[in-house]
Amino acid sequence: MTDLFTPLDLGALRLPSRLVMAPMTRARSRQPGNVPTAMMAEYYAQRASAGLIISEATQISPQGQGYSFTPGIHSEEQVAGWRRVTDAVHARDGRIVLQLWHVGRMSHESFHDDGRPVAPSALAPDASVWVVDPQTGEGGMRPCPVPRALATEEIPALVEDYRRAAANAREAGFDGVEIHAANGYLIDQFLRCSANRRHDRYGGSRDNRLRFLLETVEAVADEIGAERTGVRLSPFITQRNMHDDEVIPTILAAAKAFQRQGLAYLHLAEADWEDAPEIPDDFRIALRRAFSGAIMVAGKYDRDRAETLLRSGWVDLVAFGRPFIANPDLPRRLATRLPLSTFDPATLFGGGAEGYIDYPEASNDA
């Protein structure tokens, strides 16, 4: 019977388990330059016992940034910093992929020379992002401004930014990449065009909704191989003014396209708050029929709930987020059913070692 600790061939990778470390923004990069640090290398290496690590979301270009202190993958210095991270993870027999990120309208004016993020349309998301005040050094949530609508002729350059980021990820030693197309960020904004009023060849009809995503996937897969490429989607998350009645059939159409493209995996971001919507069984069945590659889920999972879903055959991997923050040895704790530590939310974004690399592993006699 399949459980969290059953090995899996994931595209070009052999995973020792189906227990994945989910991508989590921690905002610890070195400034200026958003460069990964030695402390980040230690953080990821501490968690190398995961079957697979998905890195924190990493901007593909300066334009793609939406939060303070998040790392990039577009400069030589950033690539070198990430190489230190991947070397540390591989030294502990781990596997790690880089999540490629462009936030679109989920940004703040301070990150843009003209003070305007870009998006499919000039509509603000009614949301906030974490921004550090340069005068005080204190971080806090700041509302997103009205973005600038992208011109259609600008979009091929964005696709090229993703391709170049994938090439940089390969140079930095990552085992693959995950394209972030979820949670109201740029690609997701195109997928939900009724929430964004985009009606040219990159919006409107279902084929056009998918065009930016599929062109990006094709460019990335051509660069590093489809067997090293995954995509993250969030069909049932509607925060940030992202409700769209057509998103579910759009996601299923995307899954069929990923099947043709031979992608390694599809990653579903599921809501993890207390009264979050349940994912309907009929959607999981339809998704499995559309995509025979590996399907990963991330949400409010514990071991028992994860293994119930794995045994259904509808998913192949389960990603854990917050539990990995305070439990660097989470796979061992779940395998032996040891108690889990809880993390300090005050140290989630920014700061130093506290609440980042100082969480202890369980004692050997626990």
Side-chain angles (χ1 to χ4, degrees):
M1 294 178 65
T2 300
D3 64 19
L4 275 173
F5 304 97
T6 304
L8 177 71
D9 290 321
L10 183 69
L13 301 177
R14 176 67 171 173
L15 307 187
S17 75
R18 294 155 189 260
L19 198 164
V20 176
M21 177 174 162
M24 291 177 287
T25 296
R26 302 304 309 275
R28 280 345 196 254
S29 68
R30 191 180 77 236
Q31 303 304 309
N34 294 323
V35 178
T37 66
M39 187 169 65
M40 289 172 60
E42 176 61 19
Y43 169 75
Y44 283 108
Q46 287 175 348
R47 291 153 178 82
S49 62
L52 177 69
I53 294 172
I54 304 172
S55 82
E56 61 207 275
T58 301
Q59 54 258 15
I60 61 172
S61 67
Q63 184 195 71
Q65 183 173 1
Y67 301 73
S68 290
F69 298 175
T70 51
I73 189 64
H74 50 82
S75 75
E76 292 183 5
E77 195 175 12
Q78 290 165 353
V79 171
W82 276 123
R83 168 60 78 171
R84 180 182 291 177
V85 173
T86 61
D87 284 349
V89 170
H90 292 150
R92 299 194 190 181
D93 198 28
R95 295 137 300 276
I96 182 169
V97 299
L98 181 71
Q99 190 183 73
L100 304 181
W101 195 30
H102 190 305
V103 300
R105 67 183 187 173
M106 284 295 301
S107 189
H108 186 261
E109 52 261 33
S110 61
F111 301 123
H112 306 275
D113 290 340
D114 64 358
R116 302 185 71 189
V118 299
S121 301
L123 296 173
D126 188 23
S128 297
V129 290
W130 190 77
V131 179
V132 172
D133 185 323
Q135 302 302 318
T136 66
E138 295 296 319
M141 302 304 291
R142 303 286 184 269
C144 299
V146 176
R148 174 179 68 81
L150 283 160
T152 299
E153 56 266 25
E154 293 180 270
I155 298 176
L158 287 170
V159 175
E160 185 59 27
D161 284 342
Y162 278 97
R163 179 196 293 274
R164 186 164 46 250
N168 287 345
R170 180 182 58 218
E171 183 180 346
F174 284 95
D175 299 303
V177 301
E178 177 178 289
I179 299 168
H180 198 344
N183 296 356
Y185 297 118
L186 183 63
I187 296 177
D188 199 20
Q189 292 160 26
F190 277 93
L191 292 176
R192 303 172 193 248
C193 60
S194 71
N196 289 279
R197 301 180 192 166
R198 184 85 186 200
H199 297 293
D200 64 6
R201 71 191 188 107
Y202 282 92
S205 72
R206 188 173 304 156
D207 287 345
N208 284 342
R209 288 168 177 253
L210 288 169
R211 183 166 182 168
F212 180 40
L213 169 61
L214 297 186
E215 288 182 2
T216 297
V217 169
E218 182 179 10
V220 168
D222 283 350
E223 187 64 46
I224 65 165
E227 73 280 4
R228 294 185 182 274
T229 303
V231 176
R232 192 180 213 207
L233 299 165
S234 55
F236 292 94
I237 295 179
T238 59
Q239 293 175 308
R240 302 166 176 174
N241 279 354
M242 294 299 288
H243 176 77
D244 189 313
D245 290 336
E246 285 294 309
V247 71
I248 299 305
T250 299
I251 294 296
L252 292 174
K256 292 177 182 178
F258 299 157
Q259 175 74 16
R260 295 190 295 271
Q261 292 170 315
L263 297 196
Y265 71 89
L266 172 57
H267 180 184
L268 295 183
E270 300 176 3
D272 60 359
W273 49 87
E274 288 299 330
D275 58 348
E278 291 291 325
I279 308 302
D281 289 352
D282 59 355
F283 172 77
R284 295 199 190 277
I285 293 168
L287 187 66
R288 175 53 84 196
R289 288 173 178 167
F291 185 70
S292 63
I295 296 174
M296 181 189 307
V297 295
K300 196 165 186 173
Y301 286 93
D302 56 21
R303 174 177 171 171
D304 291 339
R305 183 167 174 250
E307 292 186 338
T308 296
L309 196 53
L310 287 170
R311 286 192 290 270
S312 74
W314 296 338
V315 307
D316 305 282
L317 303 118
V318 179
F320 293 78
R322 292 182 181 92
F324 254 119
I325 293 176
N327 301 276
D329 57 341
L330 181 67
R332 181 168 77 93
R333 293 193 191 219
L334 291 181
T336 57
R337 299 192 181 275
L338 291 172
L340 300 186
S341 301
T342 56
F343 78 97
D344 176 8
T347 59
L348 186 60
F349 297 138
E354 182 183 0
Y356 191 58
I357 58 171
D358 62 346
Y359 288 108
E361 296 185 359
S363 63
N364 289 329
D365 58 354

